[in-house]
Amino acid sequence: MHYRIIPVTAFSQNCTLFICEESNKVAVIDPGGDVSQVIELIDELGLSVEKILLTHGHLDHVGGTAELIERYQVPIEGPHIADKFWIDALDQQCQMFGFSPVNGFSVNRWLEHNDTVTFGEQVLQVLHCPGHTPGHVVFYHEPSKLVQVGDVLFNGSIGRTDFPQGNHQHLLDSIKQCLLPLGDDVEFIPGHGPMSTLGHERKTNSHIT
Ligand SMILES: [Zn+2]
Ligand SMILES: [Zn+2]
């Protein structure tokens, strides 16, 4: 499996393509917006979209979902159902963040801790990591030691917990009990900003010590 990152929206959210090299199938993670750029790259790479995966319900992560399924008619998997209230409130999120209105969508499969998600010949492990939002999940590809963590953990920082139903202690528990045990050598793609490894954050990130 390999990956491509496309920063989208005014928040430079890391929309991520997980690409199965064997099948040319792609899972699009967190299509927050700027959908034409995402489609352009998919076309340029000659990929076939199999699924949309969502880490959590914030607008900058899900705002382009409806537009993308209009084009590809693929299932939407994730986040955990505890984030349904965020997805149901897309209109309010658009107003709150000053985005143009976007269409709503229905999640086809809500995910639970330790579920697996497949695309092409790849299997991703789902970890429920609440705190930034109550239904936040991350997608781990064990064979490549790569995890897409959304807004749970960043290079040098951690997710905000001042939104409705955010919880700082839950976030720390998610990072320490779910993410870090995956191993120091695991690379992660955060929802915003540059990549890092879990080991680098474990040793240097002052927010989790
Ligand atoms: Zn978020
Ligand atoms: Zn975000």
Side-chain angles (χ1 to χ4, degrees):
M1 191 193 82
H2 58 181
Y3 64 89
R4 294 289 287 264
I5 297 168
I6 313 148
V8 296
T9 80
F11 296 104
S12 294
Q13 194 276 119
N14 289 331
C15 174
T16 303
L17 306 182
F18 272 7
I19 301 163
C20 173
E21 288 153 299
E22 287 84 0
S23 63
N24 262 0
K25 297 267 172 72
V26 59
V28 182
I29 306 179
D30 285 0
D34 298 325
V35 170
S36 57
Q37 284 179 43
V38 178
I39 292 173
E40 212 169 284
L41 182 61
I42 290 167
D43 287 349
E44 185 189 314
L45 298 173
L47 302 171
S48 128
V49 177
E50 185 173 332
K51 265 175 200 180
I52 294 170
L53 305 178
L54 303 177
T55 61
H56 67 295
H58 281 161
L59 180 64
D60 55 324
H61 295 255
V62 308
T65 304
E67 206 180 325
L68 210 57
I69 53 167
E70 264 169 44
R71 162 104 180 198
Y72 296 112
Q73 284 113 30
V74 293
I76 302 162
E77 301 192 3
H80 183 282
I81 197 162
D83 263 25
K84 187 172 185 294
F85 77 102
W86 276 119
I87 293 171
D88 289 344
L90 275 182
D91 287 345
Q92 291 94 308
Q93 290 200 68
C94 287
Q95 282 170 20
M96 190 163 108
F97 293 112
F99 279 44
S100 324
V102 297
N103 287 331
F105 58 88
S106 303
V107 169
N108 299 94
R109 180 186 174 206
W110 299 104
L111 298 173
E112 302 275 349
H113 190 62
N114 285 333
D115 272 349
T116 54
V117 161
T118 59
F119 70 98
E121 295 171 27
Q122 310 302 321
V123 180
L124 305 175
Q125 206 180 313
V126 174
L127 304 175
H128 182 206
C129 292
H132 174 68
T133 64
H136 200 303
V137 297
V138 308
F139 299 101
Y140 180 43
H141 189 249
E142 205 272 328
S144 26
K145 300 224 167 250
L146 176 72
V147 59
Q148 220 294 359
V149 302
D151 288 351
V152 174
L153 179 65
F154 301 108
N155 185 329
S157 186
I158 60 172
R160 288 173 61 170
T161 51
D162 56 338
F163 292 116
Q165 295 193 39
N167 185 305
H168 185 71
Q169 190 55 50
H170 291 173
L171 182 69
L172 290 179
D173 291 346
S174 291
I175 294 169
K176 290 179 183 176
Q177 290 162 25
C178 265
L179 282 187
L180 296 185
L182 297 177
D184 279 356
D185 55 341
V186 170
E187 262 193 306
F188 70 89
I189 302 169
H192 307 263
M195 293 175 66
S196 178
T197 65
L198 295 178
H200 181 75
E201 300 312 308
R202 186 179 63 74
K203 289 172 207 149
T204 65
N205 189 325
S206 59
H207 297 87
I208 54 178
T209 49

